[in-house]
Amino acid sequence: MRSAAARKVDLDLGCMIRCTDGSKTVVQALGNAFGAVDRFPYVALDADDRTGARETGENLVINLDHRAEFQKLLLFVYIYEGTGDFRGLDAVVTLTSDRGDRFRVVLDECPPQAHACAIALVKRQKGELVVGREVRWFTPADGPGVQDVISRAYRLGMKWTPGRK
């Protein structure tokens, strides 16, 4: 994920993971849950770019050598702090497959007050992992955090507690 925004805005990339054995976890900067590609959860976030100034942005890597362990992976992005929605930030998320297929999501194309976006859902179908483009927007509401709202929308069954960086 890259952002060319001049103002200080902290966007975070993440991945909610449900494994075939029923275990669940998240990879995200919040809570220093950066993951690892060489051990569980076999998904890693390379950095927490808090200003959008990092040339390569934030990147998630999924180790597909362990594809048999994944039931569902939900890639998402959310605003940690600094603005009410994505409009005017020039932020882009690009998903690239191991075969070189790619799609881009321009986050400026969000509805007003969109605070988070489910980018892609990777799920097991007939023994294979299938990638689906989601681009499903979420707006803030009183109550649970945005991760909880996204997790409930995708029936991931994760339990969330408030956190800060």
Side-chain angles (χ1 to χ4, degrees):
M1 173 183 64
R2 289 189 29 170
S3 173
R7 57 189 160 162
K8 187 174 179 176
V9 176
D10 186 1
L11 306 180
D12 282 343
L13 189 60
C15 182
M16 295 181 196
I17 304 159
R18 187 167 66 198
C19 299
T20 53
D21 69 1
S23 61
K24 302 167 226 174
T25 193
V26 65
V27 171
Q28 63 179 1
L30 186 62
N32 289 317
F34 287 92
V37 291
D38 60 343
R39 64 185 185 287
F40 183 82
Y42 307 108
V43 177
L45 178 64
D46 69 344
D48 180 12
D49 181 7
R50 294 185 181 202
T51 64
R54 190 169 183 251
E55 180 74 24
T56 59
E58 294 181 6
N59 300 280
L60 271 168
V61 176
I62 301 168
N63 183 343
L64 293 176
D65 290 342
H66 295 273
R67 70 184 71 211
E69 296 179 45
F70 300 127
Q71 182 67 38
K72 198 181 272 191
L73 300 110
L74 180 67
L75 289 79
F76 65 98
V77 62
Y78 66 98
I79 299 168
Y80 180 74
E81 66 183 4
T83 188
D85 63 34
F86 292 97
R87 294 175 299 168
L89 298 181
D90 298 320
V92 175
V93 175
T94 304
L95 180 71
T96 306
S97 76
D98 58 334
R99 295 184 311 237
D101 301 327
R102 62 186 339 186
F103 69 80
R104 292 171 34 101
V105 176
V106 178
L107 296 173
D108 281 11
E109 297 171 359
C110 73
Q113 299 302 308
H115 203 72
C117 182
I119 301 296
L121 179 63
V122 181
K123 60 184 177 180
R124 183 163 300 285
Q125 291 180 342
K126 298 180 182 176
E128 296 294 321
L129 290 178
V130 178
V131 179
R133 180 184 174 111
E134 289 293 301
V135 191
R136 182 173 174 187
W137 299 98
F138 295 86
T139 55
D142 292 334
V146 71
Q147 291 93 332
D148 187 49
V149 172
I150 295 169
S151 173
R152 287 174 191 257
Y154 285 89
R155 297 181 181 100
L156 290 167
M158 301 177 98
K159 304 288 184 205
W160 298 93
T161 58
R164 297 223 34 98
K165 288 186 184 179

PDB file of all heavy atoms in Angstrom, residues 89-122:
ATOM      1  N   LEU A  89      -6.294  11.293  -0.470  1.00  0.00           N
ATOM      2  CA  LEU A  89      -5.027  10.781   0.067  1.00  0.00           C
ATOM      3  C   LEU A  89      -4.098  10.209  -1.001  1.00  0.00           C
ATOM      4  O   LEU A  89      -2.930   9.965  -0.736  1.00  0.00           O
ATOM      5  CB  LEU A  89      -5.289   9.697   1.121  1.00  0.00           C
ATOM      6  CG  LEU A  89      -6.050  10.137   2.362  1.00  0.00           C
ATOM      7  CD1 LEU A  89      -6.218   8.963   3.315  1.00  0.00           C
ATOM      8  CD2 LEU A  89      -5.353  11.298   3.045  1.00  0.00           C
ATOM      9  N   ASP A  90      -4.602   9.959  -2.194  1.00  0.00           N
ATOM     10  CA  ASP A  90      -3.814   9.335  -3.266  1.00  0.00           C
ATOM     11  C   ASP A  90      -3.252   7.984  -2.843  1.00  0.00           C
ATOM     12  O   ASP A  90      -2.167   7.594  -3.264  1.00  0.00           O
ATOM     13  CB  ASP A  90      -2.667  10.246  -3.731  1.00  0.00           C
ATOM     14  CG  ASP A  90      -3.173  11.547  -4.312  1.00  0.00           C
ATOM     15  OD1 ASP A  90      -4.193  11.544  -5.039  1.00  0.00           O
ATOM     16  OD2 ASP A  90      -2.551  12.581  -4.014  1.00  0.00           O
ATOM     17  N   ALA A  91      -3.974   7.268  -2.001  1.00  0.00           N
ATOM     18  CA  ALA A  91      -3.525   5.953  -1.522  1.00  0.00           C
ATOM     19  C   ALA A  91      -4.024   4.863  -2.470  1.00  0.00           C
ATOM     20  O   ALA A  91      -5.151   4.919  -2.956  1.00  0.00           O
ATOM     21  CB  ALA A  91      -4.035   5.698  -0.111  1.00  0.00           C
ATOM     22  N   VAL A  92      -3.157   3.873  -2.702  1.00  0.00           N
ATOM     23  CA  VAL A  92      -3.459   2.764  -3.607  1.00  0.00           C
ATOM     24  C   VAL A  92      -3.012   1.467  -2.953  1.00  0.00           C
ATOM     25  O   VAL A  92      -1.947   1.401  -2.345  1.00  0.00           O
ATOM     26  CB  VAL A  92      -2.715   2.930  -4.956  1.00  0.00           C
ATOM     27  CG1 VAL A  92      -2.927   1.737  -5.852  1.00  0.00           C
ATOM     28  CG2 VAL A  92      -3.148   4.214  -5.649  1.00  0.00           C
ATOM     29  N   VAL A  93      -3.836   0.438  -3.085  1.00  0.00           N
ATOM     30  CA  VAL A  93      -3.438  -0.914  -2.673  1.00  0.00           C
ATOM     31  C   VAL A  93      -3.362  -1.751  -3.940  1.00  0.00           C
ATOM     32  O   VAL A  93      -4.278  -1.736  -4.761  1.00  0.00           O
ATOM     33  CB  VAL A  93      -4.452  -1.542  -1.694  1.00  0.00           C
ATOM     34  CG1 VAL A  93      -4.078  -2.986  -1.388  1.00  0.00           C
ATOM     35  CG2 VAL A  93      -4.539  -0.737  -0.413  1.00  0.00           C
ATOM     36  N   THR A  94      -2.235  -2.455  -4.111  1.00  0.00           N
ATOM     37  CA  THR A  94      -2.052  -3.340  -5.268  1.00  0.00           C
ATOM     38  C   THR A  94      -1.855  -4.759  -4.768  1.00  0.00           C
ATOM     39  O   THR A  94      -1.007  -5.006  -3.914  1.00  0.00           O
ATOM     40  CB  THR A  94      -0.829  -2.911  -6.100  1.00  0.00           C
ATOM     41  OG1 THR A  94      -0.982  -1.546  -6.490  1.00  0.00           O
ATOM     42  CG2 THR A  94      -0.674  -3.779  -7.341  1.00  0.00           C
ATOM     43  N   LEU A  95      -2.647  -5.672  -5.282  1.00  0.00           N
ATOM     44  CA  LEU A  95      -2.530  -7.085  -4.940  1.00  0.00           C
ATOM     45  C   LEU A  95      -1.893  -7.791  -6.127  1.00  0.00           C
ATOM     46  O   LEU A  95      -2.368  -7.649  -7.258  1.00  0.00           O
ATOM     47  CB  LEU A  95      -3.905  -7.673  -4.651  1.00  0.00           C
ATOM     48  CG  LEU A  95      -3.938  -9.146  -4.269  1.00  0.00           C
ATOM     49  CD1 LEU A  95      -3.354  -9.332  -2.888  1.00  0.00           C
ATOM     50  CD2 LEU A  95      -5.352  -9.664  -4.311  1.00  0.00           C
ATOM     51  N   THR A  96      -0.808  -8.517  -5.872  1.00  0.00           N
ATOM     52  CA  THR A  96      -0.104  -9.255  -6.923  1.00  0.00           C
ATOM     53  C   THR A  96      -0.045 -10.719  -6.528  1.00  0.00           C
ATOM     54  O   THR A  96       0.396 -11.056  -5.431  1.00  0.00           O
ATOM     55  CB  THR A  96       1.326  -8.711  -7.111  1.00  0.00           C
ATOM     56  OG1 THR A  96       1.260  -7.300  -7.338  1.00  0.00           O
ATOM     57  CG2 THR A  96       2.022  -9.378  -8.279  1.00  0.00           C
ATOM     58  N   SER A  97      -0.485 -11.603  -7.435  1.00  0.00           N
ATOM     59  CA  SER A  97      -0.483 -13.039  -7.143  1.00  0.00           C
ATOM     60  C   SER A  97       0.889 -13.633  -7.442  1.00  0.00           C
ATOM     61  O   SER A  97       1.737 -12.997  -8.063  1.00  0.00           O
ATOM     62  CB  SER A  97      -1.544 -13.756  -7.979  1.00  0.00           C
ATOM     63  OG  SER A  97      -1.104 -13.893  -9.312  1.00  0.00           O
ATOM     64  N   ASP A  98       1.072 -14.884  -7.042  1.00  0.00           N
ATOM     65  CA  ASP A  98       2.319 -15.585  -7.319  1.00  0.00           C
ATOM     66  C   ASP A  98       2.503 -15.830  -8.814  1.00  0.00           C
ATOM     67  O   ASP A  98       3.602 -16.087  -9.277  1.00  0.00           O
ATOM     68  CB  ASP A  98       2.412 -16.892  -6.530  1.00  0.00           C
ATOM     69  CG  ASP A  98       1.273 -17.851  -6.814  1.00  0.00           C
ATOM     70  OD1 ASP A  98       0.179 -17.388  -7.213  1.00  0.00           O
ATOM     71  OD2 ASP A  98       1.457 -19.064  -6.622  1.00  0.00           O
ATOM     72  N   ARG A  99       1.432 -15.711  -9.599  1.00  0.00           N
ATOM     73  CA  ARG A  99       1.511 -15.878 -11.062  1.00  0.00           C
ATOM     74  C   ARG A  99       1.712 -14.553 -11.785  1.00  0.00           C
ATOM     75  O   ARG A  99       1.782 -14.517 -13.004  1.00  0.00           O
ATOM     76  CB  ARG A  99       0.227 -16.526 -11.590  1.00  0.00           C
ATOM     77  CG  ARG A  99      -0.004 -17.936 -11.100  1.00  0.00           C
ATOM     78  CD  ARG A  99      -1.233 -18.522 -11.736  1.00  0.00           C
ATOM     79  NE  ARG A  99      -2.360 -17.600 -11.631  1.00  0.00           N
ATOM     80  CZ  ARG A  99      -3.517 -17.881 -11.067  1.00  0.00           C
ATOM     81  NH1 ARG A  99      -3.732 -19.067 -10.561  1.00  0.00           N
ATOM     82  NH2 ARG A  99      -4.470 -16.992 -11.007  1.00  0.00           N
ATOM     83  N   GLY A 100       1.722 -13.444 -11.015  1.00  0.00           N
ATOM     84  CA  GLY A 100       1.903 -12.133 -11.614  1.00  0.00           C
ATOM     85  C   GLY A 100       0.607 -11.401 -11.911  1.00  0.00           C
ATOM     86  O   GLY A 100       0.633 -10.260 -12.357  1.00  0.00           O
ATOM     87  N   ASP A 101      -0.548 -12.050 -11.662  1.00  0.00           N
ATOM     88  CA  ASP A 101      -1.824 -11.352 -11.819  1.00  0.00           C
ATOM     89  C   ASP A 101      -1.867 -10.242 -10.779  1.00  0.00           C
ATOM     90  O   ASP A 101      -1.380 -10.396  -9.671  1.00  0.00           O
ATOM     91  CB  ASP A 101      -3.004 -12.300 -11.578  1.00  0.00           C
ATOM     92  CG  ASP A 101      -3.000 -13.495 -12.520  1.00  0.00           C
ATOM     93  OD1 ASP A 101      -2.562 -13.323 -13.676  1.00  0.00           O
ATOM     94  OD2 ASP A 101      -3.421 -14.580 -12.090  1.00  0.00           O
ATOM     95  N   ARG A 102      -2.502  -9.114 -11.135  1.00  0.00           N
ATOM     96  CA  ARG A 102      -2.577  -8.023 -10.174  1.00  0.00           C
ATOM     97  C   ARG A 102      -3.834  -7.210 -10.373  1.00  0.00           C
ATOM     98  O   ARG A 102      -4.385  -7.156 -11.460  1.00  0.00           O
ATOM     99  CB  ARG A 102      -1.340  -7.157 -10.239  1.00  0.00           C
ATOM    100  CG  ARG A 102      -1.113  -6.471 -11.546  1.00  0.00           C
ATOM    101  CD  ARG A 102       0.195  -5.726 -11.660  1.00  0.00           C
ATOM    102  NE  ARG A 102       0.760  -5.405 -10.374  1.00  0.00           N
ATOM    103  CZ  ARG A 102       1.829  -4.673 -10.199  1.00  0.00           C
ATOM    104  NH1 ARG A 102       2.453  -4.179 -11.220  1.00  0.00           N
ATOM    105  NH2 ARG A 102       2.298  -4.413  -9.004  1.00  0.00           N
ATOM    106  N   PHE A 103      -4.273  -6.617  -9.271  1.00  0.00           N
ATOM    107  CA  PHE A 103      -5.321  -5.608  -9.368  1.00  0.00           C
ATOM    108  C   PHE A 103      -5.015  -4.503  -8.369  1.00  0.00           C
ATOM    109  O   PHE A 103      -4.364  -4.719  -7.357  1.00  0.00           O
ATOM    110  CB  PHE A 103      -6.733  -6.172  -9.223  1.00  0.00           C
ATOM    111  CG  PHE A 103      -7.120  -6.692  -7.862  1.00  0.00           C
ATOM    112  CD1 PHE A 103      -7.511  -5.825  -6.850  1.00  0.00           C
ATOM    113  CD2 PHE A 103      -7.144  -8.045  -7.609  1.00  0.00           C
ATOM    114  CE1 PHE A 103      -7.892  -6.305  -5.614  1.00  0.00           C
ATOM    115  CE2 PHE A 103      -7.537  -8.540  -6.377  1.00  0.00           C
ATOM    116  CZ  PHE A 103      -7.908  -7.658  -5.376  1.00  0.00           C
ATOM    117  N   ARG A 104      -5.467  -3.309  -8.720  1.00  0.00           N
ATOM    118  CA  ARG A 104      -5.235  -2.113  -7.907  1.00  0.00           C
ATOM    119  C   ARG A 104      -6.565  -1.588  -7.385  1.00  0.00           C
ATOM    120  O   ARG A 104      -7.567  -1.618  -8.086  1.00  0.00           O
ATOM    121  CB  ARG A 104      -4.591  -1.010  -8.755  1.00  0.00           C
ATOM    122  CG  ARG A 104      -3.194  -1.301  -9.182  1.00  0.00           C
ATOM    123  CD  ARG A 104      -2.650  -0.283 -10.204  1.00  0.00           C
ATOM    124  NE  ARG A 104      -3.094   1.090 -10.071  1.00  0.00           N
ATOM    125  CZ  ARG A 104      -2.389   2.069  -9.519  1.00  0.00           C
ATOM    126  NH1 ARG A 104      -1.186   1.827  -9.051  1.00  0.00           N
ATOM    127  NH2 ARG A 104      -2.866   3.300  -9.448  1.00  0.00           N
ATOM    128  N   VAL A 105      -6.524  -1.090  -6.172  1.00  0.00           N
ATOM    129  CA  VAL A 105      -7.677  -0.418  -5.591  1.00  0.00           C
ATOM    130  C   VAL A 105      -7.231   0.998  -5.250  1.00  0.00           C
ATOM    131  O   VAL A 105      -6.314   1.194  -4.445  1.00  0.00           O
ATOM    132  CB  VAL A 105      -8.188  -1.139  -4.320  1.00  0.00           C
ATOM    133  CG1 VAL A 105      -9.330  -0.367  -3.685  1.00  0.00           C
ATOM    134  CG2 VAL A 105      -8.598  -2.570  -4.653  1.00  0.00           C
ATOM    135  N   VAL A 106      -7.852   1.968  -5.895  1.00  0.00           N
ATOM    136  CA  VAL A 106      -7.581   3.372  -5.623  1.00  0.00           C
ATOM    137  C   VAL A 106      -8.510   3.773  -4.484  1.00  0.00           C
ATOM    138  O   VAL A 106      -9.726   3.812  -4.657  1.00  0.00           O
ATOM    139  CB  VAL A 106      -7.807   4.236  -6.881  1.00  0.00           C
ATOM    140  CG1 VAL A 106      -7.570   5.704  -6.569  1.00  0.00           C
ATOM    141  CG2 VAL A 106      -6.909   3.765  -8.012  1.00  0.00           C
ATOM    142  N   LEU A 107      -7.945   4.045  -3.332  1.00  0.00           N
ATOM    143  CA  LEU A 107      -8.746   4.266  -2.137  1.00  0.00           C
ATOM    144  C   LEU A 107      -9.494   5.596  -2.155  1.00  0.00           C
ATOM    145  O   LEU A 107     -10.476   5.757  -1.434  1.00  0.00           O
ATOM    146  CB  LEU A 107      -7.877   4.142  -0.887  1.00  0.00           C
ATOM    147  CG  LEU A 107      -7.282   2.742  -0.684  1.00  0.00           C
ATOM    148  CD1 LEU A 107      -6.288   2.739   0.470  1.00  0.00           C
ATOM    149  CD2 LEU A 107      -8.356   1.707  -0.469  1.00  0.00           C
ATOM    150  N   ASP A 108      -9.071   6.545  -2.982  1.00  0.00           N
ATOM    151  CA  ASP A 108      -9.788   7.825  -3.110  1.00  0.00           C
ATOM    152  C   ASP A 108     -11.207   7.620  -3.617  1.00  0.00           C
ATOM    153  O   ASP A 108     -12.061   8.495  -3.465  1.00  0.00           O
ATOM    154  CB  ASP A 108      -9.066   8.752  -4.092  1.00  0.00           C
ATOM    155  CG  ASP A 108      -7.866   9.438  -3.473  1.00  0.00           C
ATOM    156  OD1 ASP A 108      -7.464   9.054  -2.363  1.00  0.00           O
ATOM    157  OD2 ASP A 108      -7.336  10.363  -4.108  1.00  0.00           O
ATOM    158  N   GLU A 109     -11.483   6.501  -4.231  1.00  0.00           N
ATOM    159  CA  GLU A 109     -12.797   6.235  -4.821  1.00  0.00           C
ATOM    160  C   GLU A 109     -13.779   5.674  -3.793  1.00  0.00           C
ATOM    161  O   GLU A 109     -14.702   4.949  -4.123  1.00  0.00           O
ATOM    162  CB  GLU A 109     -12.638   5.289  -6.011  1.00  0.00           C
ATOM    163  CG  GLU A 109     -11.798   5.901  -7.120  1.00  0.00           C
ATOM    164  CD  GLU A 109     -11.431   4.928  -8.231  1.00  0.00           C
ATOM    165  OE1 GLU A 109     -11.804   3.744  -8.153  1.00  0.00           O
ATOM    166  OE2 GLU A 109     -10.750   5.369  -9.164  1.00  0.00           O
ATOM    167  N   CYS A 110     -13.591   6.042  -2.542  1.00  0.00           N
ATOM    168  CA  CYS A 110     -14.431   5.551  -1.453  1.00  0.00           C
ATOM    169  C   CYS A 110     -15.664   6.429  -1.274  1.00  0.00           C
ATOM    170  O   CYS A 110     -15.690   7.582  -1.699  1.00  0.00           O
ATOM    171  CB  CYS A 110     -13.642   5.536  -0.154  1.00  0.00           C
ATOM    172  SG  CYS A 110     -13.340   7.182   0.554  1.00  0.00           S
ATOM    173  N   PRO A 111     -16.677   5.902  -0.615  1.00  0.00           N
ATOM    174  CA  PRO A 111     -17.808   6.747  -0.234  1.00  0.00           C
ATOM    175  C   PRO A 111     -17.396   7.673   0.921  1.00  0.00           C
ATOM    176  O   PRO A 111     -16.417   7.385   1.620  1.00  0.00           O
ATOM    177  CB  PRO A 111     -18.877   5.746   0.211  1.00  0.00           C
ATOM    178  CG  PRO A 111     -18.150   4.494   0.514  1.00  0.00           C
ATOM    179  CD  PRO A 111     -16.886   4.498  -0.288  1.00  0.00           C
ATOM    180  N   PRO A 112     -18.126   8.763   1.145  1.00  0.00           N
ATOM    181  CA  PRO A 112     -17.808   9.654   2.271  1.00  0.00           C
ATOM    182  C   PRO A 112     -17.797   8.896   3.595  1.00  0.00           C
ATOM    183  O   PRO A 112     -18.608   8.003   3.813  1.00  0.00           O
ATOM    184  CB  PRO A 112     -18.950  10.682   2.240  1.00  0.00           C
ATOM    185  CG  PRO A 112     -19.454  10.647   0.837  1.00  0.00           C
ATOM    186  CD  PRO A 112     -19.262   9.232   0.361  1.00  0.00           C
ATOM    187  N   GLN A 113     -16.868   9.263   4.447  1.00  0.00           N
ATOM    188  CA  GLN A 113     -16.697   8.696   5.786  1.00  0.00           C
ATOM    189  C   GLN A 113     -16.224   7.243   5.807  1.00  0.00           C
ATOM    190  O   GLN A 113     -16.237   6.616   6.870  1.00  0.00           O
ATOM    191  CB  GLN A 113     -17.981   8.834   6.616  1.00  0.00           C
ATOM    192  CG  GLN A 113     -18.403  10.271   6.825  1.00  0.00           C
ATOM    193  CD  GLN A 113     -17.334  11.109   7.502  1.00  0.00           C
ATOM    194  OE1 GLN A 113     -16.818  10.737   8.538  1.00  0.00           O
ATOM    195  NE2 GLN A 113     -16.986  12.237   6.895  1.00  0.00           N
ATOM    196  N   ALA A 114     -15.819   6.700   4.665  1.00  0.00           N
ATOM    197  CA  ALA A 114     -15.287   5.326   4.656  1.00  0.00           C
ATOM    198  C   ALA A 114     -13.991   5.302   5.446  1.00  0.00           C
ATOM    199  O   ALA A 114     -13.066   6.048   5.160  1.00  0.00           O
ATOM    200  CB  ALA A 114     -15.061   4.845   3.232  1.00  0.00           C
ATOM    201  N   HIS A 115     -13.952   4.458   6.437  1.00  0.00           N
ATOM    202  CA  HIS A 115     -12.826   4.395   7.368  1.00  0.00           C
ATOM    203  C   HIS A 115     -11.971   3.146   7.169  1.00  0.00           C
ATOM    204  O   HIS A 115     -10.887   3.034   7.702  1.00  0.00           O
ATOM    205  CB  HIS A 115     -13.385   4.439   8.794  1.00  0.00           C
ATOM    206  CG  HIS A 115     -12.429   4.903   9.815  1.00  0.00           C
ATOM    207  ND1 HIS A 115     -12.021   6.204   9.919  1.00  0.00           N
ATOM    208  CD2 HIS A 115     -11.774   4.226  10.786  1.00  0.00           C
ATOM    209  CE1 HIS A 115     -11.166   6.316  10.914  1.00  0.00           C
ATOM    210  NE2 HIS A 115     -10.993   5.125  11.460  1.00  0.00           N
ATOM    211  N   ALA A 116     -12.509   2.181   6.411  1.00  0.00           N
ATOM    212  CA  ALA A 116     -11.793   0.929   6.170  1.00  0.00           C
ATOM    213  C   ALA A 116     -12.311   0.299   4.885  1.00  0.00           C
ATOM    214  O   ALA A 116     -13.416   0.606   4.437  1.00  0.00           O
ATOM    215  CB  ALA A 116     -11.992  -0.037   7.342  1.00  0.00           C
ATOM    216  N   CYS A 117     -11.481  -0.592   4.322  1.00  0.00           N
ATOM    217  CA  CYS A 117     -11.871  -1.276   3.093  1.00  0.00           C
ATOM    218  C   CYS A 117     -11.349  -2.709   3.124  1.00  0.00           C
ATOM    219  O   CYS A 117     -10.158  -2.936   3.361  1.00  0.00           O
ATOM    220  CB  CYS A 117     -11.301  -0.549   1.883  1.00  0.00           C
ATOM    221  SG  CYS A 117     -11.778  -1.274   0.289  1.00  0.00           S
ATOM    222  N   ALA A 118     -12.243  -3.664   2.902  1.00  0.00           N
ATOM    223  CA  ALA A 118     -11.835  -5.050   2.684  1.00  0.00           C
ATOM    224  C   ALA A 118     -11.401  -5.115   1.221  1.00  0.00           C
ATOM    225  O   ALA A 118     -12.203  -4.870   0.323  1.00  0.00           O
ATOM    226  CB  ALA A 118     -12.980  -6.001   2.966  1.00  0.00           C
ATOM    227  N   ILE A 119     -10.149  -5.388   0.973  1.00  0.00           N
ATOM    228  CA  ILE A 119      -9.576  -5.348  -0.371  1.00  0.00           C
ATOM    229  C   ILE A 119      -9.826  -6.645  -1.134  1.00  0.00           C
ATOM    230  O   ILE A 119     -10.291  -6.630  -2.261  1.00  0.00           O
ATOM    231  CB  ILE A 119      -8.053  -5.081  -0.303  1.00  0.00           C
ATOM    232  CG1 ILE A 119      -7.770  -3.757   0.409  1.00  0.00           C
ATOM    233  CG2 ILE A 119      -7.432  -5.128  -1.681  1.00  0.00           C
ATOM    234  CD1 ILE A 119      -8.299  -2.536  -0.295  1.00  0.00           C
ATOM    235  N   ALA A 120      -9.469  -7.766  -0.516  1.00  0.00           N
ATOM    236  CA  ALA A 120      -9.577  -9.061  -1.194  1.00  0.00           C
ATOM    237  C   ALA A 120      -9.836 -10.160  -0.178  1.00  0.00           C
ATOM    238  O   ALA A 120      -9.382 -10.089   0.964  1.00  0.00           O
ATOM    239  CB  ALA A 120      -8.301  -9.358  -1.969  1.00  0.00           C
ATOM    240  N   LEU A 121     -10.550 -11.181  -0.623  1.00  0.00           N
ATOM    241  CA  LEU A 121     -10.820 -12.355   0.194  1.00  0.00           C
ATOM    242  C   LEU A 121     -10.255 -13.572  -0.530  1.00  0.00           C
ATOM    243  O   LEU A 121     -10.600 -13.834  -1.677  1.00  0.00           O
ATOM    244  CB  LEU A 121     -12.324 -12.526   0.414  1.00  0.00           C
ATOM    245  CG  LEU A 121     -12.749 -13.737   1.240  1.00  0.00           C
ATOM    246  CD1 LEU A 121     -12.213 -13.642   2.670  1.00  0.00           C
ATOM    247  CD2 LEU A 121     -14.265 -13.862   1.250  1.00  0.00           C
ATOM    248  N   VAL A 122      -9.360 -14.260   0.156  1.00  0.00           N
ATOM    249  CA  VAL A 122      -8.789 -15.498  -0.373  1.00  0.00           C
ATOM    250  C   VAL A 122      -9.429 -16.622   0.424  1.00  0.00           C
ATOM    251  O   VAL A 122      -9.338 -16.642   1.652  1.00  0.00           O
ATOM    252  CB  VAL A 122      -7.249 -15.529  -0.196  1.00  0.00           C
ATOM    253  CG1 VAL A 122      -6.670 -16.807  -0.763  1.00  0.00           C
ATOM    254  CG2 VAL A 122      -6.601 -14.296  -0.810  1.00  0.00           C
TER     255      VAL A 122
END
